Every structure is written in structure tokens, then in C-alpha cells.
Amino acid sequence: MKNSKIVGVGHYVPENVVTNHDLEKLMDTSDEWIVERTGIRERRYFDYTKDTCSNMASRATKMALERANVDVNEIDLIVFATITPDYMFPGSGVLMQRELGLDKKAIPAIDIRNACSGFIYALSIADQFIKTGMYKTVAVVGSEIQSSALEFSDRQRHVSVIFGDGAGAMILQATDEPGKGVLSTHMHSDGTFAEELYVKDPGSSRKREERMTHEMLEGLSLRAHMNGNLVFKHAVVRFTEAIMEALTANGKKKEDIDLLVPHQANLRINNFIQQKLELSEDRVYNNIQRYGNTTAATIPISLSEAWAEGKIKDNDLICLAAFGSGFTWASALINW
């Protein structure tokens, strides 16, 4: 059975930098308040004249292909993770396929909606397809445009200061090298808490005349609802569980981790995990300070930057972990 090896990583973030001081002008908040509670100092917002969810993903993929020295036509599957697709349907995967010029090749594109855990879910799907031998080169992407759905008001300030836009990508290829590449992936969910972090509308499960109303535009049902305290309490538990599950499955210990790349939702969560696992600061990669929470894009953006900064080397043991809406949580252990 083949293993799946990461041969290239890439990312794209919009040029428009929005600082905490910029948000101070729009609602009753402060740089001090945002940094203390989230660790975020700035984030990127897309330019609607040139950025789309799918073309940001294609730019990230092109960087990953270039770094891997892999031709775009070698891609035979796309797995696209996002909760902010360009259209209600079709998914953004086929739009990225078109952007890359692969539409004539008619390769499949799979779209998934697992929010903050989306990229690891996508990685796991790609890994299984490679291990079965069905596909040899897979583009795994996470891309989000969230700024256009944010409300810059006092009633939504606890949500609007958190999120940003961006895309990240990974190229996976089949390898015969033993013990190389993706060692294992682990996925979980608990729908008990689905409404503690969600966007309610426009949803399908209601009367036709109630599916889209004028009242929705004035209310909060089109905006993200987040029970921040509950999410935090569950995240710190599930993060640790998922990481230890991946290590145990591969006969590894926390001391073996060369770099932990966690989802970038809140710096306090990541710092808590770092302390609990007794990892030094140089063994945990954080960039939430610069980009905020880009949901499914956070882990691939982080991987791309960490690799470019020389923090990921051949044969390093890399652990990925995420927790988010659903609730869903996941981990992956990789021998780079």
C-alpha cells in the first residue's frame, strides 16, 4: 500500500491588512481588548474586485506546485475545504479546477464543510484515496472569505474581530518510502453542540416563505453565533485528546514532536496546549497574530509559512490539530 507524502505547500493572503486600530474606528473595541482575549493584532480582508474563494485557492495551489516542482496536469483530484464558497452551489472545487485549467481533464473535485477542522478532514480524505491507489497526486486546499459576512457593530464585535481571509494548499503524492508522509489521521464530531458555533440562515429546513425574509437582513441569523466560553472549554480538552490519539496510534510521545501546527482560533488556546504538552515555544507554530482565524485555511497557511521559514525539515515529526464548529475536531501526524 502506498503512503501519501507532502511534496509542496503554498498559501495566498490578500494584500489588504486590517489592524485592531482600524476596527476601533468601526465599533466599541480596542487593540488591548482584542490582543488580550485572542492574540490577534491584524488580519487580511479580500479585495472583491480581484479575490474569490476559488482563485485564492488556485494561487495557493500554484505556489505549492512550484515549490514541489510538480506540473499542474499531474493533479488528479482536488479536495476543497471551505465554509465560505463562492456560490451556494456548485462547490468552489470545480471553480478552482477551472482556474487551474484542469476542466478539460475532467478530474474530480470534492468539497467539504467541516469549518475549522476542514483542512485535516480534507487531508484525511486525500490520504485514503492515495493509499487505495485510486489517485496519485492530490491538491488539498482550504480557502475562506469571511470579511464580507462580518457585521462591524457592537453587537457582533466579539465575532468580527476574530476572522480573516486567506487560502492555503498542499500537494500530496503517492510514495513507496516506508514510514514517510502521513502516518495517520483522526477525526471526531459531537453534534450536541452544533448551535453553539454556527450560522443559522439561510437554511433549508423551514417553510418556503420563511427561508429568506427581510427580517433576516436586520437580525443576527445570517451572522455567526459563537458561545466563546463553551467553545474554549471544549477546545482545550479535544485538542489535547486528538494530539495524544495521533501520537499513541504511532507509538510516539509528545517529546517526539518537532513542530505542532494547531488551528489558529485563539492564541490563548494554543498557549494552553503548548503548556499542557510541555512544548517549547519554537516547537509550536502560531501566526494568528497576523491573520486572525481563517478557518479551513489556517493550518495550510501556517504549514506554508513554517516551511518557508525553515522550521520544517526532512524527517521532522509534524502534528496537526484542529477544533471547531460541529463540534468537530481532528489531528494528523506526519513524517515530513
Side-chain angles (χ1 to χ4, degrees):
M1 185 171 66
K2 300 280 187 179
N3 289 335
S4 52
K5 180 181 178 181
I6 300 166
V7 296
V9 284
H11 71 285
Y12 171 84
V13 291
E15 297 175 0
N16 183 23
V17 178
V18 178
T19 68
N20 293 342
H21 296 296
D22 293 326
L23 297 182
E24 288 176 347
K25 303 170 185 175
L26 303 175
M27 50 193 159
D28 184 12
T29 190
S30 68
D31 175 67
E32 181 181 13
W33 188 91
I34 297 170
V35 171
E36 179 184 343
R37 286 163 177 77
T38 70
I40 301 166
R41 296 185 180 277
E42 60 186 40
R43 68 287 292 150
R44 303 295 181 97
Y45 287 172
F46 86 122
D47 180 344
Y48 72 91
T49 66
K50 63 179 181 180
D51 296 324
T52 68
C53 183
S54 53
N55 74 27
M56 292 198 311
S58 69
R59 291 170 191 160
T61 301
K62 288 175 182 177
M63 178 187 286
L65 287 166
E66 183 177 345
R67 288 172 170 176
N69 195 27
V70 170
D71 186 86
V72 65
N73 289 297
E74 292 185 50
I75 296 174
D76 44 22
L77 172 67
I78 293 168
V79 187
F80 197 118
T82 186
I83 56 169
T84 58
D86 296 296
Y87 306 135
M88 184 69 76
F89 68 87
S92 291
V94 296
L95 304 181
M96 184 185 115
Q97 178 215 47
R98 184 174 65 188
E99 290 271 352
L100 292 174
L102 294 172
D103 44 321
K104 299 300 186 291
K105 191 179 175 185
I107 66 168
I110 299 172
D111 289 71
I112 65 168
R113 296 170 56 90
N114 291 92
C116 298
S117 303
F119 187 81
I120 300 181
Y121 269 65
L123 172 62
S124 183
I125 292 168
D127 181 47
Q128 309 314 313
F129 273 119
I130 287 178
K131 283 178 176 175
T132 63
M134 189 168 185
Y135 299 109
K136 295 181 179 179
T137 301
V138 184
V140 187
V141 299
S143 183
E144 306 283 5
I145 292 178
Q146 299 176 114
S147 59
S148 55
L150 301 177
E151 178 181 296
F152 299 102
S153 69
D154 290 352
R155 67 178 183 174
Q156 278 279 283
R157 61 185 174 180
H158 65 296
V159 173
S160 295
V161 300
I162 295 173
F163 294 99
D165 306 335
M170 172 189 292
I171 304 299
L172 279 183
Q173 284 193 323
T175 179
D176 291 318
E177 296 179 70
K180 193 75 170 177
V182 180
L183 303 180
S184 65
T185 57
H186 309 269
M187 300 178 290
H188 299 280
S189 67
D190 183 352
T192 305
F193 305 98
E195 288 77 24
E196 301 298 340
L197 178 53
Y198 82 132
V199 176
K200 181 181 179 181
D201 288 317
S204 62
S205 303
R206 61 208 68 194
K207 296 178 181 178
R208 178 176 55 80
E209 59 271 21
E210 294 177 357
R211 186 163 177 175
M212 287 182 281
T213 67
H214 293 293
E215 288 73 22
M216 287 180 186
L217 298 177
E218 300 298 327
L220 288 174
S221 65
L222 290 170
R223 313 294 183 187
H225 164 79
M226 180 176 65
N227 183 340
N229 288 334
L230 185 68
V231 171
F232 186 98
K233 290 176 182 178
H234 281 262
V236 295
V237 173
R238 297 306 191 184
F239 254 110
T240 307
E241 288 179 352
I243 293 167
M244 296 310 298
E245 179 183 18
L247 292 172
T248 301
N250 293 281
K252 304 290 185 181
K253 299 179 180 179
K254 59 187 181 181
E255 293 81 12
D256 297 322
I257 296 174
D258 291 299
L259 190 67
L260 171 65
V261 181
H263 170 63
Q264 306 292 303
N266 188 306
L267 190 58
R268 289 191 301 150
I269 294 175
N270 293 358
N271 287 342
F272 180 91
I273 301 304
Q274 176 186 332
Q275 293 168 11
K276 193 169 183 64
L277 295 178
E278 299 177 309
L279 297 174
S280 58
E281 190 170 332
D282 63 333
R283 292 167 65 197
V284 181
Y285 192 84
N286 291 304
N287 60 8
I288 189 173
Q289 304 92 325
R290 299 191 301 277
Y291 301 127
N293 182 350
T294 56
T295 313
T298 69
I299 286 178
I301 291 174
S302 298
L303 279 172
S304 178
E305 289 199 327
W307 179 86
E309 294 168 16
K311 296 182 182 295
I312 297 177
K313 301 177 293 296
D314 196 37
N315 289 317
D316 274 357
L317 188 68
I318 311 299
C319 185
L320 314 180
F323 174 89
S325 175
F327 289 153
T328 61
W329 59 101
S331 63
L333 201 63
I334 300 161
N335 180 2
W336 202 274

